[in-house]
Amino acid sequence: MAAGEEESREYLRRHRLPELLHRLGALLLFHRPERPREFLIQVLERVKAGRRAEGEYPFLMDEANVEAMFGLLDVLGQGSIRPAQYREALKTLGLSTEDLELEDDVEITLDEFKEGMKKKMLESWSVY
Amino acid sequence: MCHFCGLCSPQLLSILHSSGLVRNLWECLREGSSCPAEPQIQNMLEELLIHKPDDPIEFMINHLKQNNDDAPRICVLGPPASGKTTVKIPNALWANLIQERLSNVDCIKQGWILEGFPENQEQAWMLQSSGIFPRHVVMLYAPDTVLIERSGGKRLDPLTQEVFHTTFDWPSDPLVQERLVKPEDLSEQEVSKKLLEYHRNFPEIFHIYQKVLKSINADQPSVDVLSQVLAFVQTRHRSAAPFTPRILFFGPPGSGKSLQAALIAQKYDVVNICCGQLLKEAVADNTKLGELVKPYIDSGCPVPNNLVLKLLTERLSSLDCLSHGWVLSGFPRDVEQGEQLQKAQINPNRVFFFNLPYESIMERLSQRRTDPVTGERYHTTFRPAPTPEIQARLRQNPKDEEENIEKRLNIYYSNVKALEDFYQDAFYVNADQDPYVIFEFIESCIIKPLPCRKP
């Protein structure tokens, strides 16, 4: 691979740009703004604000969505889900499941789920 | 709730993260001319990689605020006397000068045209290392004899530096006429020398800008050259990004829609959907919708729109159609159906109207025959049955009888004008040609990107 190309790929990797663009795409598709350029500017400003802890990152899912997701997983309405389901949910959203220390028979309640999700989502944006 | 696909966000996200579909959704943005976000993202990514800023987020915000994705960045190159002007200055100095000028706000906002630079490989490389990449490069060419002749008539106005010509471009103001002088370095020898140098340098430059370059013949009236250049610089370049075709074929019966659809489906691995077939399959499979449709098919009455639409939307939203694309023939038959399709969020990105004169239609259809034993289709003139035995048992489909053909044609012609107005960006195919010629034409229309639409 030519030196220039290697450099460029390294740059992309270092700043996690492909993932960022992926998220921008997801946001664009979900909201379908009339003026995509202004929308993108707003989103990026929010990333900046989140970085400085001045505001919230542009999460695609809000609390209601997270609850809805829990509802989808907790089919029988037991009020809790298993760790395997929790891991799958994180994977589906593209969040990391690396540092999850959960035994297989622990039950995860809605609140724990919400907390965990929030933390993971925050983590995933804070690299920017 | 996602307006696009009606899914709530957890489901949407899980679908988004299965990569195949994200690419399709990017295309919706790209192909939808009212929401051209994808080229903006592409440009932004290009700029990021050229400049590699330490804070990409800040850089992206500034880039988006500049909003200069549509600003032209054009180089016009060509031999001396092809229609541009040149001066001698060392290469490095040139590159700096140009970079400085192009970084001015007016260039960034409005775009720029660079004339007669770069002249050789070295200059081109310097431009590139300064991060200057033209989006379009126009190479003007003409035979040397024409160029030498033209340069003989070249005249310069020393006051305004404007270039005129004794034959082609003589100023109307007599004051200007008197001022004109012959440029200094213009003996035939000098011009030949310059031309030689140009020919030496040209192949390398051609090679460097190959992907964005177009050669235009300068040996024509200047208005023709101008119109060709304009048409070129307004095109968007073919992107290497994957593209899911969603193709509509319109045309009178017998125009070859199903043949072309089959060819396209085979070559590009898209799903071939013929509306009539879809309905019959639904009946044969005894699905719920099939049962509703059956009485209409049996009695020969047209199936009501809402049923057809339901079947179609179901089929077109299935995974194979969404990921591979589709080609649809036989629907919509009128503008009302077209509007319903649009409301169901099914938007084709290539539309074709097949044109075929009446006599050819009659010729093709009235001589169609089918072998009831093997199901093979024949044509008495174009594809006759191989043996007299088969020929004897050939039958004609009642819908191919002359009066029925007339009826079908009348329905088609009564609706086609409105459909053509509804699908404005459609391509028109001359269906009265060899199938492979038609196929190549359709292919070229599918592959090339839709032209830039000025908002």
Side-chain angles (χ1 to χ4, degrees):
Chain A
M1 217 190 276
E5 190 179 337
E6 182 58 55
E7 227 183 280
S8 297
R9 285 186 190 273
E10 170 53 34
Y11 178 77
L12 287 178
R13 258 197 305 265
R14 203 176 350 130
H15 292 277
R16 306 196 201 210
L17 290 176
E19 290 86 348
L20 179 61
L21 289 177
H22 195 109
R23 283 163 193 256
L24 292 179
L27 285 165
L28 272 173
L29 287 160
F30 186 74
H31 296 281
R32 287 205 129 196
E34 277 300 314
R35 303 158 75 81
R37 208 175 45 85
E38 280 81 352
F39 177 78
L40 284 177
I41 294 180
Q42 275 172 19
V43 168
L44 289 170
E45 295 277 8
R46 277 181 67 183
V47 178
K48 253 181 33 175
R51 202 158 58 174
R52 298 193 293 255
E54 283 168 6
E56 265 208 349
Y57 285 112
F59 298 126
L60 184 53
M61 304 238 295
D62 60 19
E63 196 168 323
N65 297 140
V66 178
E67 289 179 10
M69 195 167 187
F70 187 83
L72 282 174
L73 295 166
D74 179 18
V75 186
L76 298 173
Q78 294 170 324
S80 62
I81 60 174
R82 286 173 286 113
Q85 287 175 300
Y86 181 42
R87 271 202 195 91
E88 277 307 307
L90 286 174
K91 267 202 272 187
T92 308
L93 295 177
L95 299 170
S96 111
T97 53
E98 282 168 1
D99 49 349
L100 266 191
E101 293 162 9
L102 292 172
E103 278 118 66
D104 281 333
D105 51 357
V106 166
E107 304 265 311
I108 305 194
T109 64
L110 176 59
D111 287 328
E112 286 170 356
F113 186 73
K114 286 204 292 192
E115 267 306 308
M117 279 292 168
K118 202 159 164 205
K119 217 179 77 172
K120 283 287 172 189
M121 290 201 281
L122 198 60
E123 250 177 50
S124 69
W125 274 110
S126 56
V127 290
Y128 298 109
Chain B
M1 190 77 157
C2 172
H3 312 296
F4 171 63
C5 48
L7 296 170
C8 75
S9 74
Q11 288 173 302
L12 175 62
L13 280 177
S14 60
I15 295 180
L16 282 179
H17 278 275
S18 55
S19 51
L21 286 175
V22 180
R23 122 179 156 214
N24 290 297
L25 302 176
W26 271 120
E27 283 159 37
C28 293
L29 291 178
R30 176 169 23 126
E31 291 280 316
S33 52
S34 61
C35 184
E38 201 259 17
Q40 296 181 350
I41 304 279
Q42 200 176 320
N43 284 329
M44 189 162 73
L45 194 56
E46 263 175 30
E47 293 289 310
L48 270 173
L49 287 173
I50 292 174
H51 298 277
K52 298 204 184 61
D54 284 326
D55 185 355
I57 306 269
E58 187 65 45
F59 181 86
M60 293 201 279
I61 295 181
N62 288 330
H63 174 92
L64 288 170
K65 283 189 176 158
Q66 266 172 13
N67 190 20
N68 67 339
D69 292 313
D70 286 329
R73 299 205 305 248
I74 308 169
C75 272
V76 180
L77 307 173
S82 58
K84 19 148 286 311
T85 50
T86 53
V87 177
K88 277 252 168 283
I89 286 187
N91 289 341
L93 192 51
W94 259 131
N96 278 332
L97 266 175
I98 292 192
Q99 190 198 13
E100 226 182 271
R101 183 63 182 90
L102 293 184
S103 341
N104 263 347
V105 183
D106 57 357
C107 277
I108 296 190
K109 270 274 156 213
Q110 297 168 2
W112 43 264
I113 294 189
L114 197 50
E115 192 193 308
F117 188 91
E119 297 168 298
N120 54 42
Q121 197 180 40
E122 204 186 315
Q123 292 177 353
W125 281 343
M126 295 211 167
L127 267 187
Q128 287 189 337
S129 27
S130 326
I132 296 172
F133 295 90
R135 276 207 206 102
H136 293 91
V137 174
V138 174
M139 285 232 62
L140 300 173
Y141 67 89
D144 282 1
T145 45
V146 171
L147 294 173
I148 295 185
E149 233 187 272
R150 276 196 200 178
S151 69
K154 189 168 168 183
R155 296 290 177 270
L156 196 58
D157 177 354
L159 226 66
T160 62
Q161 294 301 314
E162 248 186 277
V163 177
F164 293 98
H165 195 275
T166 49
T167 318
F168 299 118
D169 190 14
W170 193 239
S172 43
D173 184 352
L175 284 177
V176 179
Q177 285 176 14
E178 274 166 34
R179 284 206 297 261
L180 292 182
V181 294
K182 201 167 172 193
E184 292 170 350
D185 50 354
L186 217 45
S187 66
E188 233 184 77
Q189 259 182 340
E190 283 286 336
V191 175
S192 304
K193 221 170 64 171
K194 281 194 194 171
L195 272 176
L196 219 58
E197 205 183 308
Y198 172 79
H199 283 303
R200 223 184 0 203
N201 290 322
F202 160 77
E204 295 160 337
I205 301 202
F206 188 86
H207 183 78
I208 294 179
Y209 290 116
Q210 234 171 32
K211 297 208 178 124
V212 293
L213 185 138
K214 183 165 174 136
S215 296
I216 294 186
N217 184 358
D219 189 14
Q220 327 174 48
S222 59
V223 279
D224 291 344
V225 181
L226 180 61
S227 70
Q228 286 186 16
V229 173
L230 268 180
F232 170 57
V233 302
Q234 283 175 342
T235 56
R236 275 195 214 155
H237 290 295
R238 204 196 291 187
S239 125
F243 158 59
T244 329
R246 294 190 298 272
I247 308 170
L248 276 187
F249 278 169
F250 289 106
S255 49
K257 304 187 291 292
S258 21
L259 175 60
Q260 295 299 327
L263 290 174
I264 299 265
Q266 190 189 39
K267 183 162 180 187
Y268 292 99
D269 201 23
V270 298
V271 181
N272 183 2
I273 301 180
C274 170
C275 189
Q277 292 274 59
L278 194 66
L279 292 171
K280 293 187 190 139
E281 278 168 14
V283 174
D285 290 339
N286 275 324
T287 62
K288 269 191 329 217
L289 280 174
E291 283 173 32
L292 291 171
V293 164
K294 191 163 155 58
Y296 293 97
I297 302 251
D298 286 341
S299 63
C301 291
V303 183
N305 283 351
N306 58 338
L307 281 179
V308 181
L309 210 62
K310 255 195 132 166
L311 258 164
L312 263 180
T313 33
E314 210 180 291
R315 185 66 183 92
L316 291 174
S317 327
S318 61
L319 200 59
D320 59 351
C321 280
L322 283 181
S323 44
H324 294 198
W326 42 264
V327 49
L328 178 60
S329 23
F331 189 91
R333 289 195 195 269
D334 54 40
V335 180
E336 198 189 315
Q337 293 183 344
E339 288 172 347
Q340 290 180 327
L341 208 58
Q342 212 176 42
K343 255 201 281 203
Q345 300 282 21
I346 296 173
N347 289 316
N349 47 35
R350 297 288 187 276
V351 178
F352 293 89
F353 283 95
F354 284 60
N355 285 326
L356 191 61
Y358 180 76
E359 296 76 25
S360 305
I361 298 181
M362 285 316 246
E363 191 183 35
R364 288 187 191 183
L365 289 182
S366 55
Q367 298 183 36
R368 272 189 186 167
R369 298 288 183 273
T370 315
D371 178 355
V373 174
T374 62
E376 274 288 318
R377 296 175 70 176
Y378 298 99
H379 190 277
T380 40
T381 315
F382 299 134
R383 199 181 166 230
T387 69
E389 198 191 328
I390 300 183
Q391 187 139 25
R393 62 186 192 223
L394 290 182
R395 308 285 279 288
Q396 185 184 43
N397 187 333
K399 76 174 184 184
D400 287 338
E401 278 162 21
E402 237 181 84
E403 29 170 75
N404 289 327
I405 300 181
E406 289 264 5
K407 275 198 223 153
R408 287 153 72 196
L409 274 181
N410 287 333
I411 300 181
Y412 175 74
Y413 285 129
S414 62
N415 289 318
V416 74
K417 191 72 188 43
L419 279 172
E420 285 179 7
D421 290 334
F422 187 67
Y423 291 107
Q424 295 227 331
D425 286 328
F427 298 98
Y428 292 86
V429 183
N430 173 4
D432 202 8
Q433 306 178 78
D434 178 87
Y436 291 102
V437 171
I438 300 179
F439 179 70
E440 278 182 19
F441 172 72
I442 295 184
E443 235 188 337
S444 71
C445 296
I446 293 180
I447 292 186
K448 76 178 176 207
L450 293 173
C452 259
R453 210 102 68 66
K454 290 283 166 192

